[in-house]
Amino acid sequence: MRPSPSCWTAPLRSSSAARSTLYERQGKTMPEGWVVNREGQTCTDPKQVLKDLIAGQCALNPLGGLGEDLAGYKGYGYATVVEILSSCLQQGNFLQALSGFDAQGHKRPIE
């Protein structure tokens, strides 16, 4: 039997429709910032969220949700991971090594 290839996955939403179902079953309201409606208002009623998701009247926010309470935008972290992995795989420089300066602030050639 041939081994399956390894794969790195990462969720790109702050929540999922399954999480909304869980909140509905427990009778809890959802945290603000996970879901927004067409007017940009946050939705916290899981029953209404599930109906609106199916009808296309609301949307799950991207990873991190809205604002600092839910940790905000995560794009910088993903961009850094992509830069490091793609540079390492080709044995190239990345991050500070591309600035053109050494640790003391002196100019140096980029290798």
Side-chain angles (χ1 to χ4, degrees):
M1 180 163 57
R2 189 169 51 164
S4 60
S6 61
C7 180
W8 177 71
T9 61
L12 297 177
R13 300 275 179 215
S14 58
S15 176
S16 67
R19 181 73 57 101
S20 303
T21 305
L22 178 66
Y23 275 92
E24 180 188 19
R25 289 181 183 166
Q26 293 176 342
K28 297 180 179 178
T29 60
M30 297 173 59
E32 288 189 23
W34 280 8
V35 180
V36 293
N37 61 19
R38 287 191 176 260
E39 290 78 38
Q41 305 296 319
T42 61
C43 304
T44 59
D45 178 22
K47 186 177 282 190
Q48 188 64 42
V49 165
L50 290 170
K51 287 180 188 175
D52 289 348
L53 281 172
I54 292 169
Q57 298 299 314
C58 69
L60 296 169
N61 279 320
L63 180 66
L66 297 176
E68 294 300 316
D69 291 339
L70 296 173
Y73 180 65
K74 298 285 192 279
Y76 175 79
Y78 281 112
T80 303
V81 168
V82 168
E83 181 179 353
I84 291 171
L85 288 177
S86 55
S87 298
C88 290
L89 292 174
Q90 64 176 348
Q91 296 178 346
N93 292 327
F94 58 94
L95 297 175
Q96 290 288 41
L98 295 173
S99 70
F101 296 93
D102 62 16
Q104 291 75 33
H106 301 108
K107 286 187 176 183
R108 66 174 175 81
I110 298 174
E111 300 171 5

